[in-house]
Amino acid sequence: MRSASRSLRRILIAATVGILALPGPLAAQQPAAPAQPPAPSWAQGRPDSPAAVNLAPQVAPPLATPLDKLPVAMLKVPRNFHVEVYASGMPQARSLRIDDKGTLFVSTRTLDRIYAVVDKDGKHQVKTLLTGLRWPNGIALHNGTLYIAELNKISKIDNIEAQLDNPPKPTVIYDDLPSDEPHGWKFLAVGPDNKLYFNIGAPCNICMPPAANAQLRRINLDGSGMEVVAHGIRQVVGMDFHPVSKVLYFTENQRDWLSEDVPEDKLDRLLHVGQDNFGFPYCGGGNVPDPQFGWGHSCSEFTPPVVRLGPHSAPLGMRFYVGHMFPSEYHNAIFIARHGSWNRTTKFGGDVVVAKLNPDGTVKSVEPFMTGFLQDNKYVARPVDVELMKDGSMLVSDDWNGAVYRVSYGQQRVSLNH
Amino acid sequence: MSRAGTACATLVALVAGTLPVFAAVQPKLEPCLACHGAQGQSETANVPSLGAQNPAYVLIQLFMFREGLRIAEPMNDMAKGLSDDDLRSISGDIAALPPPKPPADDGDPSRLDRARALVEQNHCNICHRLDFSGQENVPRVADQREDYLLKALREYKSGARHGYDATMAEALQPVGDAQIVELAYYLAHLAAAR
């Protein structure tokens, strides 16, 4: 009886939700409703259906998975490629950068730290290099300097390799940045023009962004000379420059709660620096007019993506393959880590794909490269970033387990439990 | 240390290992229960009930206390010496405690009706689920103490409490203090409200 009446109440609640979702007189008649606040940014446009009830942002667990429990055996790569654990024990392992000496720097998204993995006689020692940072997702290396993009500032430590045991506090070079937490985490890269490139995400799921948001910027290495290089961008957590044309390519994550299947996340390229607008919030995925903001606009007004990468797939880190270990078909192709969806009943993504390009820089194909992160609609691992080692092998970070894997080609597989 | 913290520390000393109810409890859990309640239900002002709390959420909070990512005395001291395995086992043990009891007080029906509209407008019942049992990293808030709910919501709103993600700060962006008071009232009287 109690259960029956509870079911009835749920039905009534669902009905009430339906009524509240209607504009106009019906909603206004709800005597209890205070002046309706806008829905919170991440929930704007979200359906009020019970089917959506089990969807909630999934966070990386704060404790790293022990080495012997890492799901490395489940991770599949093409024939003659091999996967091994490179380093583990780094909760929320996110962005990867490796320096000339082989030291790997690993960022975190909402923790306060950056790790360093030092290669000592083939053993990879993990240490927490810096703490006390505010969401330091973006890291970049240039001429021995480590650059760090926190939530609302960019800083640097010169000559980091010589100071791994006792690094100084980073020196701030740029802080003219909003402090919004939504999409406040950054990706940082040094361009062929020796400038630092980074994103300022939209502070919401879907909204008309403030003038300082939803864009890519670049600054000189000392923080001066800021320019906005691209507009209409919801959120970017991965970018790299074409090794030949030097054109900036970047992954872009699209809005949630519009539907299971659209808009698709994208791979974009910036051909007209300072001019290109990629459509946010008017057009999603390059082909879906936004139901709220798209009126009076056409997707054809905006720069189209070079390829769509699937709904809610969350493409994050990406690198052009310029190494010499992998077969020639991978030369100058782009490896892209798709973190995987949360805003979808059947999860999508959770893999590393390879985008092969035509000579004109357009995309010829997108193929799965590293899979198995998603098992039975649950994540056993989630790829975040990719980075090339000097020998041409590729590292892949996994924030779900706090680990970094190494993918190599044609070599004897290294045993994990020696 | 706050007054609640001092009182709890005294309680810990008094009850640790002495009451039959603790006989089956892991030693590491005993200090928790002194303040948070032996049967999953807190009798201490501003201290949350932990019964049936989702282990992933508890683990995240303990981790944040230990690492200083969330500051709330005496929890930072309490979590200081805990190993990763301690965090895992304590989270599991807490999840196994019985859920807090629904309040005896049915609450003011018209006030609950108004608050329900607010809950739905702000989609609280999506991530926290319709019965507010939460899921994984999203906490159970059903039948939680009203004073603690009020404190937690206000601290998320003001930024005094850092979440593990931006979700609660975003969720409370459009919510004013008067509405926070109503949300806390609603969740604390959920048995009547749902």
Side-chain angles (χ1 to χ4, degrees):
Chain A
M1 186 62 208
R2 179 169 167 80
S3 139
S5 71
R6 187 168 295 177
S7 301
L8 180 60
R9 273 197 297 268
R10 283 186 183 173
I11 291 165
L12 286 174
I13 286 172
T16 312
V17 170
I19 289 167
L20 285 174
L22 290 173
L26 268 179
Q29 276 168 18
Q30 288 289 312
Q36 292 214 3
S41 54
W42 48 267
Q44 283 158 9
R46 183 166 59 179
D48 293 312
S49 70
V53 142
N54 288 333
L55 303 178
Q58 289 188 282
V59 297
L63 297 183
T65 304
L67 177 61
D68 61 355
K69 297 225 167 70
L70 287 173
V72 64
M74 293 181 177
L75 302 178
K76 302 300 179 202
V77 284
R79 191 177 155 78
N80 289 330
F81 284 90
H82 312 286
V83 182
E84 64 188 300
V85 177
Y86 185 80
S88 62
M90 300 172 286
Q92 269 200 21
R94 292 277 297 190
S95 305
L96 300 175
R97 295 290 183 188
I98 197 159
D99 73 10
D100 297 340
K101 296 254 166 50
T103 300
L104 174 69
F105 298 87
V106 183
S107 78
T108 57
R109 185 171 71 103
T110 65
L111 298 185
D112 63 341
R113 63 202 60 175
I114 290 173
Y115 311 100
V117 184
V118 180
D119 188 347
K120 264 201 178 133
D121 307 323
K123 287 199 168 165
H124 309 141
Q125 298 173 347
V126 174
K127 61 176 291 178
T128 301
L129 181 71
L130 297 164
T131 58
L133 306 171
R134 180 86 169 113
W135 293 15
N137 188 74
I139 49 176
L141 289 163
H142 187 68
N143 287 346
T145 298
L146 174 67
Y147 294 89
I148 303 159
E150 296 176 60
L151 180 74
N152 56 7
K153 64 183 175 218
I154 295 173
S155 57
K156 66 167 188 170
I157 299 176
D158 291 328
N159 197 13
I160 186 66
E161 185 64 36
Q163 306 184 78
L164 294 175
D165 290 328
N166 191 20
K169 218 173 131 73
T171 306
V172 175
I173 58 169
Y174 184 78
D175 62 0
D176 183 15
L177 290 164
S179 295
D180 309 288
E181 287 185 352
H183 298 141
W185 49 96
K186 307 209 162 5
F187 192 86
L188 189 63
V190 179
D193 52 1
N194 287 342
K195 290 173 188 276
L196 286 162
Y197 286 73
F198 54 92
N199 58 296
I200 300 174
C204 55
N205 171 35
I206 183 74
C207 62
M208 189 56 66
N213 291 73
Q215 58 189 232
L216 291 183
R217 294 182 188 180
R218 71 179 170 198
I219 54 175
N220 297 320
L221 294 172
D222 63 0
S224 66
M226 191 281 283
E227 298 167 86
V228 177
V229 296
H231 305 267
I233 293 168
R234 182 174 173 275
Q235 173 67 338
V236 169
V237 203
M239 60 178 103
D240 198 12
F241 298 83
H242 191 289
V244 179
S245 69
K246 310 298 180 195
V247 168
L248 173 64
Y249 285 65
F250 56 93
T251 54
E252 191 191 355
N253 289 198
Q254 299 294 280
R255 66 164 294 184
D256 296 315
W257 299 114
L258 183 54
S259 83
E260 296 263 355
D261 295 327
V262 294
E264 292 190 48
D265 292 341
K266 311 188 271 183
L267 176 70
D268 295 316
R269 64 173 168 167
L270 179 62
L271 291 176
H272 310 96
V273 173
Q275 292 170 42
D276 281 337
N277 186 314
F278 292 86
F280 183 87
Y282 311 105
C283 173
N287 60 350
V288 180
D290 190 83
Q292 187 180 355
F293 293 99
W295 299 98
H297 292 274
S298 162
C299 283
S300 64
E301 293 169 36
F302 305 103
T303 305
V306 279
V307 75
R308 280 178 271 277
L309 292 169
H312 309 293
S313 65
L316 303 182
M318 54 164 280
R319 296 290 190 283
F320 283 91
Y321 187 78
V322 293
H324 299 288
M325 178 188 281
F326 294 1
S328 59
E329 62 179 295
Y330 294 100
H331 193 64
N332 290 353
I334 314 173
F335 284 99
I336 302 169
R338 298 195 300 186
H339 200 223
S341 68
W342 63 265
N343 191 222
R344 198 170 192 279
T345 306
T346 302
K347 291 189 173 61
F348 186 81
D351 54 17
V352 177
V353 295
V354 58
K356 294 174 180 168
L357 304 187
N358 295 309
D360 65 356
T362 57
V363 170
K364 183 166 64 184
S365 66
V366 177
E367 302 159 13
F369 177 78
M370 187 175 183
T371 58
F373 296 84
L374 186 56
Q375 303 273 342
D376 299 328
N377 210 30
K378 286 190 173 138
Y379 293 109
V380 297
R382 296 185 85 181
V384 177
D385 200 11
V386 294
E387 173 73 323
L388 300 186
M389 299 189 71
K390 205 182 267 182
D391 66 0
S393 60
M394 183 171 73
L395 301 178
V396 179
S397 60
D398 165 14
D399 66 344
W400 196 251
N401 294 299
V404 173
Y405 310 105
R406 176 174 174 263
V407 181
S408 56
Y409 178 78
Q411 299 165 344
Q412 190 67 34
R413 180 168 180 163
V414 177
S415 166
L416 295 174
N417 301 314
H418 53 73
Chain B
M1 193 182 274
S2 68
R3 187 178 299 175
T6 315
C8 286
T10 313
L11 262 175
V12 172
L14 282 175
V15 301
T18 61
L19 296 177
V21 70
F22 289 110
V25 165
Q26 279 210 358
K28 293 237 157 107
L29 202 58
E30 286 177 14
C32 314
L33 302 189
C35 299
H36 288 282
Q39 295 301 319
Q41 184 138 21
S42 162
E43 306 292 345
T44 315
N46 292 318
V47 171
S49 298
L50 296 183
Q53 188 53 274
N54 299 314
Y57 170 78
V58 177
L59 192 144
I60 285 170
Q61 300 308 312
L62 288 172
F63 174 86
M64 291 181 76
F65 288 135
R66 188 184 73 180
E67 306 292 319
L69 299 172
R70 178 183 167 197
I71 306 298
E73 289 304 330
M75 286 310 300
N76 299 97
D77 282 340
M78 303 290 277
K80 201 171 270 175
L82 298 176
S83 69
D84 288 358
D85 281 341
D86 289 338
L87 300 191
R88 290 187 184 98
S89 69
I90 292 172
S91 304
D93 291 345
I94 282 173
L97 295 171
K101 291 187 193 68
D105 166 20
D106 274 353
D108 171 355
S110 65
R111 198 176 164 189
L112 291 171
D113 276 347
R114 286 197 299 275
R116 182 183 297 128
L118 199 58
V119 160
E120 284 157 7
Q121 281 161 24
N122 289 283
H123 305 279
C124 311
N125 54 351
I126 302 284
C127 294
H128 289 279
R129 309 192 74 159
L130 289 176
D131 64 357
F132 290 91
S133 61
Q135 51 182 321
E136 296 178 17
N137 51 293
V138 180
R140 159 186 284 271
V141 288
D143 302 319
Q144 186 52 271
R145 286 183 66 92
E146 186 175 352
D147 55 3
Y148 169 75
L149 290 165
L150 193 56
K151 178 172 180 285
L153 289 167
R154 280 177 168 158
E155 287 180 354
Y156 274 129
K157 169 81 180 173
S158 72
R161 174 169 172 178
H162 282 175
Y164 187 63
D165 204 343
T167 310
M168 279 309 294
E170 292 171 50
L172 289 167
Q173 226 162 5
V175 179
D177 193 67
Q179 295 172 323
I180 283 177
V181 171
E182 297 309 304
L183 287 173
Y185 183 82
Y186 178 86
L187 293 171
H189 294 85
L190 203 55
R194 67 190 161 198

